[in-house]
Amino acid sequence: LFNAGKALERLERFDEAVDTYDQYLRAVTSDEDRAAAAELCERLCPKAGRGVLVLVSEPPGASLTIDAEPYPLKSGTRACLVPGEHIVAFALEGYEDVTQTVRVPKAETVALRTTLKARRAVGTLRVESTIVPAQVYVDGREMGKAPLDLRLGADRLVQVKVGAGSGYHAWTQAVSVAA
């Protein structure tokens, strides 16, 4: 694919050369080869009537998806794209995914920068009762009937109340939810 891209470039069939280098970029496994292919795509982008999209995330190293296709390079890179609107998704372990739409003009370079938010830690609170059905409340909010698994924000103290109706005393306790 690399040599085919070079041949198309020499023939000044830049659009096809960029497509071929992009295929090579997606096929190779070494970071060095990917970087070289991305550089070739970027250099030919204006000649192919395409635009360059600079993709930056904070923190760096997010995986990228462009128009529902995984992109083989991480954030901090550039992509050569046909002009128009594109949907870009950033994903990084421990952070909320971010999806944005960006317009890439012909033969221009635009940047898409995003700050990823750390995922809030969650924990599971299992509530069981020997008396069924028993109503479960967390911090005064009705959550359902026991037995019940609740996903709650972790590392915080919640007030749990379990009530089984008339003739029974409600049970109430402060509980710490761990991640």
Side-chain angles (χ1 to χ4, degrees):
L1 286 171
F2 181 82
N3 290 335
K6 281 288 189 192
L8 290 165
E9 185 179 351
R10 278 190 225 104
L11 294 170
E12 296 186 5
R13 292 167 52 186
F14 301 117
D15 196 47
E16 294 171 87
V18 168
D19 286 341
T20 304
Y21 286 138
D22 187 63
Q23 288 174 20
Y24 176 72
L25 171 73
R26 294 169 191 278
V28 295
T29 56
S30 90
D31 290 339
E32 186 177 311
D33 287 343
R34 281 189 183 131
E39 189 176 307
L40 288 167
C41 284
E42 183 182 348
R43 184 174 51 80
L44 292 179
C45 237
K47 292 179 181 179
R50 300 183 186 193
V52 176
L53 178 60
V54 180
L55 299 150
V56 180
S57 71
E58 183 55 45
S63 296
L64 302 167
T65 303
I66 301 174
D67 298 328
E69 291 289 327
Y71 192 69
L73 299 174
K74 303 286 185 197
S75 65
T77 191
R78 299 165 176 256
C80 179
L81 301 173
V82 294
E85 283 195 355
H86 297 276
I87 298 170
V88 179
F90 295 82
L92 185 62
E93 184 69 34
Y95 293 84
E96 294 178 14
D97 294 352
V98 172
T99 301
Q100 295 178 305
T101 300
V102 63
R103 187 165 219 352
V104 177
K106 180 179 180 177
E108 289 185 31
T109 299
V110 293
L112 179 59
R113 301 176 195 285
T114 192
T115 300
L116 303 172
K117 294 180 186 175
R119 277 197 187 111
R120 192 173 118 199
V122 294
T124 301
L125 175 64
R126 173 95 176 142
V127 182
E128 295 179 351
S129 173
T130 55
I131 301 165
V132 179
Q135 192 62 46
V136 177
Y137 300 85
V138 174
D139 291 336
R141 287 184 46 223
E142 188 174 322
M143 304 302 286
K145 298 195 183 300
L148 189 61
D149 287 320
L150 300 170
R151 295 200 32 90
L152 303 171
D155 304 324
R156 68 182 188 116
L157 200 60
V158 295
Q159 192 75 19
V160 178
K161 177 181 173 184
V162 179
S166 64
Y168 296 95
H169 292 286
W171 173 87
T172 304
Q173 185 168 337
V175 177
S176 178
V177 180

